[in-house]
Amino acid sequence: MGGSSRRAHPTTHVGLLLVAVFAAALAVTTMTCVDAGVTSAYRRQLLASVDMPLDSDVFRVPPGRNAPQQVHITQGDLEGSAVIVSWTTADEPGSSKVLYGTSKDKLNKSAKGSYTRYQFYNYTSGYIHHCVLKDLMYDTTYYYTVGVGQTERQFWFKSPPKVGPDVPYTFGLIGDLGQTYDSNITLSHYDSNSNSGALLFVGDLSYADDYPFHDNVRWDTWSRFIERSAAYQPWIWTVGNHEIDFAPEIGETEPFKPFLHRFPTPYKASNSTAPFWYSIKRASAHIIVLASYSAYG
Ligand SMILES: *[C@@H]1O[C@H](CO)[C@@H](O)[C@H](O)[C@H]1NC(C)=O
Ligand SMILES: *[C@@H]1O[C@H](CO)[C@@H](O)[C@H](O)[C@H]1NC(C)=O
Ligand SMILES: *[C@@H]1O[C@H](CO)[C@@H](O)[C@H](O)[C@H]1NC(C)=O
Ligand SMILES: *[C@@H]1O[C@H](CO)[C@@H](O)[C@H](O)[C@H]1NC(C)=O
């Protein structure tokens, strides 16, 4: 795995997904006789490390009036020709529009999304925007801008090649990331591998639930922390036990509430009935996402 940064809180939820992912990887490997080899000798340290403090550089709010923060993308359809762009504005809704295009200085397409908010005990979220960019060309670099009309921020991503039986593609794999100093080292190590086109995130995201009242401010800090990668390549989400956020003792009885508001998945494209269960195709891989902490039908 790319990095289990939270040894202090081991969890065991990822078995099913890993079986699915590895089965897919194995099938591809066997068919094409590819040996990806060893990509690096990196090993995270075994000792548990502590969470980065709230005033850490990686949690900094971007400057500017109501500036979009916590920008991240995920695949938006079954075969990779759509992307869901998500971001949060803190002070007022602002625009849910995304401007995008293939030329950095001429974003001649636009898509309109919408925003949501939620409360968790005494925490109130910012305005969480989600916008789907559809009908993208394959294997193409797209630039996109959020914060239209206020503080605009521009990012880019590369769409995947068209799905096929023998299409090389490199995935990253991270789970259990959290927001410790070691989480930052894990992410920096991942960033340094420029080959990877998308990240399979195998559950346990922010660990906000370790805090009293599941302090959801730690969901915001986590999402700002991962922006440096997740705004530029899709992170494919699976939930683990740390996303359940079921806390009847403080009146919070809707499982997965923070996750569901913040991290959309393209589950409808695979005819799934719930965001925790879905599949996507990307290059030569058919990735099946299963969630052992949610009921299924
Ligand atoms: C948008 O810009 C791209 C890149 O310059 C160009 O290829 C495309 O034709 C333009 N589309 C429209 C609708 O103007
Ligand atoms: C939420 O409640 C806790 C416990 O009473 C308190 O420490 C915290 O400051 C409160 N947060 C907000 C945003 O009111
Ligand atoms: C996190 O890692 C980045 C990149 O290596 C570094 O610039 C930053 O100072 C680190 N922050 C913390 C709090 O460790
Ligand atoms: C989803 O269901 C529709 C309608 O039955 C069908 O046309 C489509 O092929 C299904 N998609 C997948 C990925 O199974």
Side-chain angles (χ1 to χ4, degrees), residues 52 56-58 181 184 188 228:
M52 295 180 281
S56 298
D57 50 4
V58 292
Y181 287 99
N184 193 36
S188 299
R228 72 180 194 246

Side-chain angles (χ1 to χ4, degrees), residues 98-117:
V98 175
L99 302 178
Y100 65 105
T102 54
S103 158
K104 196 173 178 359
D105 312 308
K106 200 168 85 197
L107 304 182
N108 57 10
K109 288 176 180 289
S110 89
K112 181 103 173 64
S114 59
Y115 69 85
T116 181
R117 298 188 92 177

Side-chain angles (χ1 to χ4, degrees), residues 121-123 213:
Y121 185 53
N122 63 355
Y123 166 93
F213 316 106

Side-chain angles (χ1 to χ4, degrees), residues 83-87 93-100 108-116 128-134 144-148:
V83 154
I84 308 171
V85 180
S86 302
W87 71 98
S95 174
S96 292
K97 194 190 275 185
V98 175
L99 302 178
Y100 65 105
N108 57 10
K109 288 176 180 289
S110 89
K112 181 103 173 64
S114 59
Y115 69 85
T116 181
I128 304 170
H129 303 256
H130 304 296
C131 180
V132 187
L133 315 185
K134 293 180 189 150
Y144 68 99
T145 289
V146 290
V148 175

